[in-house]
């Protein structure tokens, strides 16, 4: 039914259906409960610091796997880990509120950092999550990242205001379902729940440097005539680096270029 909604340009209606499903799923309000901890997964290792901690995006095909190609280019150089979002697996509970979601991510980041200096990294909606959880860490006295890297991130404003753009993204994502496994109801309703959470998070300026990797190419299904596929930084102070890639290729076939841009940001002149 959700596929039909996307095809028939009824993305908002489709998300309302998924959100209704999410509302009857189990939720949790204790992020430090081991049953709900989003445990980080190591993707690369190396001697350099800071380590990179990547957050999974909120889309249905999101997960630690989305950073596999990027992490491969840091093997032997610096440690890279990725954090999944809870609620995308069958039987998993969803965070009850946006505050619980942020506390869950903060606890997972602390575990992944393991007392080392670190940089938060996020592609697409995960960039917004990385930015928002950094603000949360600042407000709560947590240990802050040295910097934040956002890859082609759009400000989450709700599906209603981004319906055609989200529809174009989902159309491309559905084409790749065979690569990621079945998009079952837990993954779809988990996406809708986290979309709703992201739309209600705070995105106030953060005190550390932010690198914004902006894709210079559109993707099939985007409304290129209106330039709506082009992302923009959440704050004018962010360092913008154009990438010769589109929203998907920036962490897939162009992952080497993306890794190089991040490494040059971390170690100027390299």
């Amino acid at each position: 039914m959700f596929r039909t909604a996307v095809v028939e340009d009824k993305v908002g209606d489709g998300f309302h259906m998924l959100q209704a499903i999410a509302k009857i799923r189990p939720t949790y309000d204790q992020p430090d409960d081991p049953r709900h901890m989003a445990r980080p997964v190591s993707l690369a290792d190396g001697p350099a610091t800071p380590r990179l901690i990547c957050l999974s995006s909120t889309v249905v095909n999101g997960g630690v796997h989305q950073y596999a190609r990027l992490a491969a280019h840091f093997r032997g150089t610096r440690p890279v880990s990725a954090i999944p979002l809870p609620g995308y697996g069958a039987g998993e509970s969803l965070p009850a509120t946006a505050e619980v979601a942020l506390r869950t991510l903060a606890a997972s980041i602390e575990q992944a950092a393991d007392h080392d200096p670190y940089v938060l990294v996020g592609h697409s909606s995960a960039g917004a999550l990385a930015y928002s959880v950094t603000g949360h860490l600042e407000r709560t006295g947590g240990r802050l990242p040295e910097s934040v890297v956002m890859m082609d991130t759009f400000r989450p404003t709700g599906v209603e205001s981004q319906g055609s753009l989200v529809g174009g993204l989902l159309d491309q994502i559905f084409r790749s379902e065979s690569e990621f496994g079945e998009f079952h109801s837990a993954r779809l309703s988990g996406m809708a729940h986290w979309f709703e959470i992201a739309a209600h998070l705070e995105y106030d300026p953060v005190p550390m440097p932010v690198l914004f990797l902006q894709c210079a190419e559109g993707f099939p299904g985007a409304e290129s005539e209106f330039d709506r596929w082009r992302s923009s930084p959440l704050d004018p102070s962010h360092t913008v680096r154009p990438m010769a890639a589109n929203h998907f290729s920036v962490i897939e076939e162009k992952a080497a270029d993306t890794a190089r841009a991040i490494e040059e940001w971390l170690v100027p002149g390299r």
Side-chain angles (χ1 to χ4, degrees):
M1 290 177 67
F2 185 68
R3 292 175 190 277
T4 301
V6 172
V7 171
E8 296 184 356
D9 198 22
K10 297 178 180 179
V11 178
D13 293 333
F15 266 89
H16 289 154
M17 176 188 66
L18 294 182
Q19 288 162 358
I21 295 171
K23 286 179 180 178
I24 60 174
R25 289 184 55 188
T27 59
Y28 68 91
D29 56 11
Q30 297 295 326
D32 53 352
D33 187 326
R35 294 175 299 172
H36 309 304
M37 174 70 75
R39 301 188 182 280
V41 176
S42 177
L43 299 178
D45 202 4
T49 58
R51 65 171 59 236
L52 304 182
I53 300 178
C54 308
L55 299 184
S56 298
S57 68
T58 60
V59 291
V60 66
N61 66 337
V64 298
H65 55 268
Q66 69 188 108
Y67 296 104
R69 293 192 190 184
L70 181 69
H73 298 285
F74 289 101
R75 288 174 187 157
T77 302
R78 67 177 67 248
V80 181
S81 57
I83 295 174
L85 301 182
Y88 285 71
E92 293 182 0
S93 297
L94 293 162
T97 65
E99 178 67 18
V100 171
L102 287 176
R103 288 169 56 198
T104 298
L105 294 178
S108 298
I109 289 167
E110 181 179 1
Q111 182 181 15
D114 194 24
H115 306 292
D116 289 339
Y118 69 96
V119 171
L120 277 184
V121 180
H123 170 252
S124 190
S125 55
L129 292 180
Y131 193 73
S132 185
V133 76
T134 298
H136 169 82
L137 289 168
E138 182 186 20
R139 292 189 299 272
T140 58
R143 194 159 64 87
L144 295 170
E146 291 194 350
S147 58
V148 179
V149 177
M150 306 171 71
M151 296 181 282
D152 210 44
T153 293
F154 300 88
R155 178 183 287 273
T157 56
V159 175
E160 286 75 10
S161 61
Q162 294 181 310
S164 58
L165 179 62
V166 173
L169 289 169
L170 286 170
D171 181 65
Q172 293 302 303
I173 289 170
F174 278 133
R175 295 173 189 269
S176 65
E177 183 174 4
S178 60
E179 300 175 30
F180 299 101
E182 181 190 3
F183 293 163
H184 49 67
S185 59
R187 292 173 73 169
L188 288 164
S189 58
M191 171 180 68
H193 186 76
W194 276 92
F195 263 47
E196 186 72 10
I197 283 176
H200 291 90
L201 293 177
E202 295 182 22
Y203 298 99
D204 296 328
V206 297
M208 69 285 300
V210 176
L211 173 63
F212 191 91
L213 300 182
Q214 182 185 58
C215 292
E217 300 173 2
F219 57 88
E223 295 181 326
S224 56
E225 67 271 22
F226 298 111
D227 214 25
R228 293 192 63 186
W229 54 265
R230 193 181 302 277
S231 62
S232 58
L234 271 63
D235 188 271
S237 66
H238 298 173
T239 298
V240 178
R241 168 74 183 272
M243 300 295 296
N246 67 36
H247 187 76
F248 300 98
S249 65
V250 70
I251 58 169
E252 295 175 356
E253 57 264 32
K254 300 291 185 70
D257 296 337
T258 303
R260 189 177 306 112
I262 294 174
E263 189 65 23
E264 290 173 353
W265 162 262
L266 296 175
V267 188
R270 173 168 293 185

